[in-house]
Amino acid sequence: MSRDSNGNKKPRISKISNSGSSPKPRGTKSARPRTEKPVERKEPKEPKAPREPRLMSQSEAKSYEKTFDKPASRKMGKRIGKSFDSSSKFDKGPSKSGVKKPYKKPFVPVDEAEKTRSFVQKRRFDKLAKETPKESIRLNKYIANSGICSRREADDLITQGLVEVNGKPVTEMGYQVQKTDRVVFDGQGITPEKPVYVLLNKPKGYISTTKDDKARKTVLDLVANASPYRLFPVGRLDRSTTGVILLTNDGHMTKKLTHPSFAMKKIYHVTLDRKLDRADLNMIQEGIRLEEGIAEVDSISYIEGKPKNEVGIELSIGWNRVVRRIFQKLGYEVELLDRVLFAGLTKKNIKRGHWRILTDLEVNTLKMI
């Protein structure tokens, strides 16, 4: 039913064909005969002839090169950087981000005298350099720096009138001593220097004196950097003798170690020109008469594991060239003479020509002798 414009329904009128045939059901299509199209066969195309290379003109070549010289443009926030090329890595070497080579310090030649000084010895040397005396100094510190006693004990010596300055006894506490003043204690002049004790392994060819008229090398040349103060050798070793020798600025210690009454023990390693007979060894043990008297030795023996021409001798006398003269008296020549011990000090861990500063324990041991 269809509706008109007024909303009234109209009856639907079906159209019937005049042929009288039944109407086609709804939803069906009329079948039409299909006509098949002939299949067209495509013939294969002939291959194109290869394009012949064309040479660029000079202007075209320049424009072509400029395109590669331009830097890459930034696109959409992408990071600009050089593209990775493995060939450049091998041509230019490893990149900076790789493993770095260990840093090598340049070779700097070290002075032998500086090399022998250990860290502890260098620290002691710096400490001594800072303690160099000023223009004036208190008398008790002056005495203490000379190595005689402590400051408290120096005060007692001053109050007792045992210290003289420029020939007059001083009992005033806090007395200031000038550098030009002469201070005397126990009849001997003293200096305000900090006592320094240096042990040297003396090599051959050096003499053990402070200076030489013939301009020969002295032991002070080997210990020039050991102390800011002037040092003096304790005792003497002749030019061809090697081994232990002590140098210090302590006058009291020097006098104590060299005086015959203290009888400081010394041990020498002697190498002779020939084997030492047992009878001669026994004669040396009993004592050999020299110009000064009978040279008595504490002990003498062959060195274990060495040939019979090498012996060790221990004695306390300090006569000039006494060891060489003992063997020359019996017809032997001393080829090598090395002092291995002096006043309990040895040359252990000290190379020939090198030195070291004594420890506080060693200094206290020397003072108790």
Side-chain angles (χ1 to χ4, degrees), residues 1-12:
M1 297 277 302
S2 60
R3 297 183 180 182
D4 55 4
S5 60
N6 297 327
N8 298 325
K9 293 183 180 181
K10 294 181 179 181
R12 180 180 291 177

Side-chain angles (χ1 to χ4, degrees), residues 159-211:
T159 53
Q160 295 173 17
L162 300 177
V163 182
E164 295 181 359
V165 179
N166 298 328
K168 297 179 181 180
V170 176
T171 57
E172 178 186 349
M173 302 298 295
Y175 183 85
Q176 294 288 329
V177 181
Q178 304 297 323
K179 292 181 66 175
T180 56
D181 293 342
R182 174 174 171 78
V183 182
V184 177
F185 170 73
D186 196 16
Q188 187 174 0
I190 58 176
T191 58
E193 297 176 352
K194 184 79 174 179
V196 183
Y197 307 90
V198 179
L199 190 66
L200 171 68
N201 187 356
K202 177 186 171 298
K204 196 173 182 179
Y206 288 80
I207 59 175
S208 54
T209 57
T210 55
K211 59 182 179 179

Side-chain angles (χ1 to χ4, degrees), residues 276-286 300-302 311:
L276 179 65
D277 295 336
R278 174 64 67 174
D280 294 336
L281 187 144
N282 294 333
M283 288 180 63
I284 295 173
Q285 182 68 58
E286 293 174 1
I300 182 172
S301 63
Y302 298 109
V311 294

Side-chain angles (χ1 to χ4, degrees), residues 331-351:
Y332 296 91
E333 287 294 332
V334 177
E335 293 183 347
L336 297 175
L337 184 61
D338 184 49
R339 186 160 72 179
V340 297
L341 183 141
F342 172 72
L345 303 172
T346 65
K347 59 178 183 177
K348 184 179 180 182
N349 299 328
I350 307 178
K351 296 180 180 179

Side-chain angles (χ1 to χ4, degrees), residues 99-165:
V99 180
K100 294 184 179 179
K101 294 181 180 179
Y103 173 72
K104 269 190 174 182
K105 291 184 178 180
F107 174 74
V108 179
V110 181
D111 187 15
E112 287 297 327
E114 189 71 21
K115 188 177 180 181
T116 56
R117 191 185 308 148
S118 64
F119 173 75
V120 177
Q121 294 172 354
K122 188 175 184 300
R123 187 172 59 183
R124 290 176 184 171
F125 175 76
D126 295 339
K127 185 178 179 181
L128 291 172
K130 293 178 181 178
E131 294 179 355
T132 52
K134 300 178 181 179
E135 293 296 329
S136 63
I137 185 174
R138 288 173 63 95
L139 182 57
N140 61 351
K141 186 177 180 181
Y142 189 102
I143 299 171
N145 288 349
S146 64
I148 296 175
C149 58
S150 64
R151 291 193 187 184
R152 284 188 178 181
E153 294 172 343
D155 291 335
D156 296 337
L157 297 176
I158 294 170
T159 53
Q160 295 173 17
L162 300 177
V163 182
E164 295 181 359
V165 179

